[in-house]
C-alpha cells in the first residue's frame, strides 16, 4: 500500500508514534511518505520504502505567517495523484484540516480521499478549548473517514466534545520491546547517577506545564524526607526546565537531581531507573511510561486520562492527582517489592508490542481503501 503519514517533528508523543509507525510500515513492505515541517525526532533515513517530505510553505513579504496548512494540503494532493492511497494524520490541528482540504480538492477529480485522523489528546482536550479552533477541528473530524484515539478515555472524551456519531476506534501507543528492554541496563551508566545504595527515580517529558515537573521535585523531597536515599534523573527539556532547576536549588536538591536535557536515545537512561514517575495533569496515553515499562521500570503516575488503562497488573501504582503523600507511598510500596514490579512492568509492556498495534493500523488502512474504491 502507499500511505502518507503527517505529524509534528518536535519532541512529543504524537510525532514519535507517527514516525515509529511509518518506520514499522516501511519495514513491512509498504511505501510510506512521512510529511512534516522538518525531520521528526525519531526519523532515520535508512529505509528505502520510507520517504520523508519536508513541507516548506513559500515565504513572501506579505505573509506574516507562512501558509503551512495550505502547502501541506497541496503536497497531499500531489502525492495522491502520484499513487498514495490513504492519508493518516496525527494531531487534528492543522493536519486533519489540511487533509480535509486535500480531500475537497481531489473530489473535483472524482476521487474520494480516505483520511484517518489519530487523536493524541492535547489536540482535543486542550487545543479545542480555543473557540476559534473548535469549529475547524470539528469539521475536520466529522469529515475524517475514520478517527482513532490512543485510549478509551480519550475516545469517550472526544466523542462527547465533538458530537461524533460513533466513538473513535481505540488504537493504543506501541513500543519496540527490543529497543526498550531491561537488556539496555548499563551498570556503569547507572553508577554515574546513583550510588549502589541509592534509588533512582526517572522522568522524561517536554517540561510543558501540563507535565507538572516541579511537582516531581517536591515528590523527591518527600521521599528523601522519610529517609529513602533517592535521586532523580530528569530527561528532556522545555518551558519549565529553568524553573525546575531553580526549585531544585531552593530545596537543596541540586546534588540529588540530574537534568540530562533532550537526548536522541532515551532507552539506556530509562533502563537504569528504579521507578518512572509522572505528575501530568492529563495524559491521553503516556508513551514515556510505556517505554519505561518495556525497560522493566515500574511507573508511579496520577490516575488521569488513559494512564489507568496502561498501568495495570502491578506494572506500577496510580495515585489521586496532586496527592503528594499517596505518590510517595506508592513509590515506597514499589521499592519494597521491586523485582516483582519490574517483571510485571515488562510483562504489561509486551501487550503493546509494535507488531500487534501496527497490524491494527494496517487493517484500518485496508478497510478505508476499500470504502474509497
Ligand atoms: O505529551 C506531550 O506533551 C506530547 C503529546 C503530543 O501531542 O505529541 O503527547 C500526547 O500523545 C502521546 C502519543 O499518543 C501520548 O502518549 C501522550 O500521553 C499525549 N500527551 C498528553 O496527553 C499530554
Amino acid at each position: 500500500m502507499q500511505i502518507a503519514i503527517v505529524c509534528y517533528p518536535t519532541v512529543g508523543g504524537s510525532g514519535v508514534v507517527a514516525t515509529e509507525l511509518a518506520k514499522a510500515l516501511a519495514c513491512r513492505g509498504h511505501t510510506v511518505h512521512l510529511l512534516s515541517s522538518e525531520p521528526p525526532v525519531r526519523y532515520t533515513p535508512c529505509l528505502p520504502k520510507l520517504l520523508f517530505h519536508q513541507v516548506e510553505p513559500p515565504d513572501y513579504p506579505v505573509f506574516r505567517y507562512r501558509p503551512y496548512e495550505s502547502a501541506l494540503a497541496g503536497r497531499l494532493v500531489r502525492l495522491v495523484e502520484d499513487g498514495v492511497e490513504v492519508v493518516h494524520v496525527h494531531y487534528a490541528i492543522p493536519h486533519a484540516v489540511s487533509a480535509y482540504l486535500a480531500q475537497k480538492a481531489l473530489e473535483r477529480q472524482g476521487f474520494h480521499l480516505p483520511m484517518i485522523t489519530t487523536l493524541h489528546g492535547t489536540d482535543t482536550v486542550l487545543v479545542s478549548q480555543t473557540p476559534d479552533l473548535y469549529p475547524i477541528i470539528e469539521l475536520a473530524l466529522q469529515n475524517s473517514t475514520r478517527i482513532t484515539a490512543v485510549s478509551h478515555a480519550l475516545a469517550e472524551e472526544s466523542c462527547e466534545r465533538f458530537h461524533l456519531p460513533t466513538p473513535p476506534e481505540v488504537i493504543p501507543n506501541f513500543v519496540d520491546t527490543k529497543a526498550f528492554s531491561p537488556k539496555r541496563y548499563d551498570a556503569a551508566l547507572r553508577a554515574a547517577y546513583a550510588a549502589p545504595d541509592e534509588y533512582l527515580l526517572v522522568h522524561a517529558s517536554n517540561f510543558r506545564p501540563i507535565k507538572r515537573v516541579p511537582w516531581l521535585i517536591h515528590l523527591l523531597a518527600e521521599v528523601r524526607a522519610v529517609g529513602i536515599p533517592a535521586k532523580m534523573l530528569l530527561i528532556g527539556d522545555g518551558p519549565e526546565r529553568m524553573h525546575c532547576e531553580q526549585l531544585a536549588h531552593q530545596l537543596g536538591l541540586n546534588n540529588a537531581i540530574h537534568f540530562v536535557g533532550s537526548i536522541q536515545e532515551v532507552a539506556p537512561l530509562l533502563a537504569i531507573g528504579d521507578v518512572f514517575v509522572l505528575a501530568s495533569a492529563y495524559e491521553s496515553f503516556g508513551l514515556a511510561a510505556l517505554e519505561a515499562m518495556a525497560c522493566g521500570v515500574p511507573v508511579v503516575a496520577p490516575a488521569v486520562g488513559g494512564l489507568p488503562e496502561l498501568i495495570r497488573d502491578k506494572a506500577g501504582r496510580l495515585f489521586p492527582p496532586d496527592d503528594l503523600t499517596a505518590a510517595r507511598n506508592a513509590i515506597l510500596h514499589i521499592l519494597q517489592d521491586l523485582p516483582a514490579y519490574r517483571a510485571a512492568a515488562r510483562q504489561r509492556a509486551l501487550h503493546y508490542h509494535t507488531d500487534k498495534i501496527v497490524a491494527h493500523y494496517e487493517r484500518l488502512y485496508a478497510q478505508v481503501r476499500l470504502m474509497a474504491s
Side-chain angles (χ1 to χ4, degrees):
M1 228 183 287
Q2 282 222 43
I3 305 150
I5 291 186
V6 183
C7 70
Y8 279 110
T10 44
V11 180
S14 61
V16 170
V17 168
T19 308
E20 296 293 354
L21 175 62
K23 284 168 25 184
L25 289 164
C27 285
R28 291 161 89 103
H30 301 287
T31 299
V32 186
H33 301 265
L34 182 64
L35 290 85
S36 196
S37 54
E38 54 191 89
V41 176
R42 296 246 181 121
Y43 170 71
T44 37
C46 60
L47 297 163
K49 284 187 169 264
L50 176 59
L51 309 161
F52 175 64
H53 301 260
Q54 183 151 2
V55 178
E56 278 186 284
D59 207 358
Y60 190 69
V62 294
F63 293 158
R64 174 118 188 255
Y65 303 105
R66 295 168 73 189
Y68 183 76
E69 285 90 334
S70 305
L72 175 59
R75 182 68 66 92
L76 288 173
V77 170
R78 291 205 290 125
L79 286 172
V80 172
E81 286 168 349
D82 285 346
V84 160
E85 300 158 274
V86 176
V87 168
H88 183 183
V89 297
H90 292 258
Y91 220 86
I93 283 282
H95 304 147
V97 179
S98 298
Y100 170 68
L101 282 176
Q103 203 181 51
K104 283 278 148 206
L106 287 157
E107 250 170 39
R108 294 174 313 162
Q109 300 176 25
F111 180 73
H112 182 72
L113 172 65
M115 135 187 192
I116 296 170
T117 301
T118 289
L119 301 173
H120 286 274
T122 43
D123 42 0
T124 43
V125 176
L126 288 184
V127 180
S128 73
Q129 285 174 17
T130 307
D132 287 348
L133 293 182
Y134 177 86
I136 304 305
I137 300 179
E138 187 180 48
L139 174 76
L141 292 186
Q142 289 182 350
N143 283 281
S144 297
T145 317
R146 296 285 278 272
I147 305 170
T148 78
V150 295
S151 62
H152 290 279
L154 178 60
E156 280 159 28
E157 213 162 338
S158 314
C159 193
E160 219 170 276
R161 201 176 283 245
F162 293 106
H163 315 107
L164 303 173
T166 49
E169 188 166 337
V170 177
I171 306 186
N173 290 178
F174 54 90
V175 64
D176 176 344
T177 53
K178 267 199 190 132
F180 291 85
S181 152
K183 290 188 181 148
R184 303 302 298 269
Y185 181 88
D186 175 342
L189 184 65
R190 163 129 185 157
Y193 294 107
D197 61 340
E198 288 175 328
Y199 291 107
L200 194 55
L201 310 181
V202 182
H203 169 81
S205 75
N206 48 24
F207 282 63
R208 284 195 283 138
I210 197 170
K211 302 291 176 181
R212 304 181 77 236
V213 188
W215 195 87
L216 291 176
I217 294 175
H218 288 291
L219 177 60
L220 177 69
E222 281 279 317
V223 170
R224 287 166 64 95
V226 293
I228 302 292
K231 287 204 164 153
M232 189 174 266
L233 199 57
L234 293 175
I235 307 167
D237 211 335
E240 293 216 305
R241 165 136 176 218
M242 198 187 283
H243 171 52
C244 289
E245 287 182 357
Q246 285 164 350
L247 183 62
H249 187 77
Q250 278 164 22
L251 297 179
L253 290 170
N254 331 28
N255 295 326
I257 302 183
H258 302 279
F259 291 87
V260 294
S262 281
I263 47 163
Q264 186 71 21
E265 218 198 337
V266 288
L269 286 174
L270 293 177
I272 59 169
D274 292 305
V275 179
F276 184 86
V277 284
L278 277 178
S280 310
Y282 179 81
E283 207 63 65
S284 65
F285 180 87
L287 178 62
L290 173 61
E291 291 179 338
M293 284 158 55
C295 291
V297 179
V299 177
V300 165
V304 296
L307 289 170
E309 296 168 42
L310 172 68
I311 303 162
R312 285 171 33 192
D313 308 333
K314 226 174 170 176
R317 290 182 80 87
L318 298 165
F319 60 85
D322 217 23
D323 189 335
L324 215 44
T325 309
R328 181 201 63 198
N329 290 344
I331 292 172
L332 301 189
H333 194 100
I334 289 177
L335 294 180
Q336 279 162 14
D337 195 10
L338 199 48
Y341 273 97
R342 278 191 180 286
R346 171 73 183 170
Q347 206 51 41
R348 178 86 189 123
L350 295 177
H351 285 92
Y352 299 90
H353 188 278
T354 305
D355 288 347
K356 186 173 149 189
I357 309 297
V358 171
H360 201 147
Y361 279 116
E362 272 180 312
R363 284 195 293 277
L364 188 62
Y365 298 151
Q367 285 166 14
V368 297
R369 193 174 55 163
L370 267 183
M371 284 162 77
S373 62

